């Protein structure tokens, strides 16, 4: 089954799964978030990033890197 990813700033994307959530970085690496606290926290982060649609794309990209980049280090 092919996953349908929602695009985020900075080349990041995410996919809600039946159980959990996957976030993909611009290089194609993926991180899985388990249901519960981990999934809730990343969904809050994604919602916060989506609230910044009115700022420049460059700033959105920087904010996405700050908020999501550490998950891929």
């Amino acid at each position: 089954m092919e996953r349908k990813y929602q695009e985020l700033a900075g080349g990041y994307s995410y996919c809600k799964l039946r159980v959990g959530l996957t976030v993909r970085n611009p290089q194609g690496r993926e991180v899985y978030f388990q249901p519960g606290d981990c999934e809730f926290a990343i969904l809050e982060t994604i919602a916060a990033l989506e609230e910044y649609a009115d700022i420049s794309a460059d700033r959105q990209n920087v904010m996405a890197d700050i908020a999501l980049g550490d998950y891929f280090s």
Side-chain angles (χ1 to χ4, degrees):
M1 174 183 248
E2 184 178 332
R3 296 181 187 168
K4 296 188 181 194
Y5 283 83
Q6 305 281 331
E7 293 296 318
L8 294 170
Y12 291 90
S13 56
Y14 71 98
C15 177
K16 291 183 182 179
L17 307 171
R18 187 175 346 152
V19 178
L21 168 76
T22 299
V23 174
R24 180 186 291 166
N25 73 0
Q27 293 76 34
R29 291 181 49 213
E30 295 181 349
V31 175
Y32 170 73
F33 294 89
Q34 298 181 52
D37 292 341
C38 292
E39 181 184 22
F40 180 74
I42 196 67
L43 285 172
E44 281 190 329
T45 300
I46 289 169
L49 288 171
E50 290 174 341
E51 287 181 14
Y52 290 102
D54 59 337
I55 64 174
S56 72
D58 289 339
R59 286 190 175 192
Q60 287 180 17
N61 295 346
V62 168
M63 293 182 72
D65 279 333
I66 290 170
L68 300 173
D70 284 346
Y71 291 109
F72 297 93
S73 324

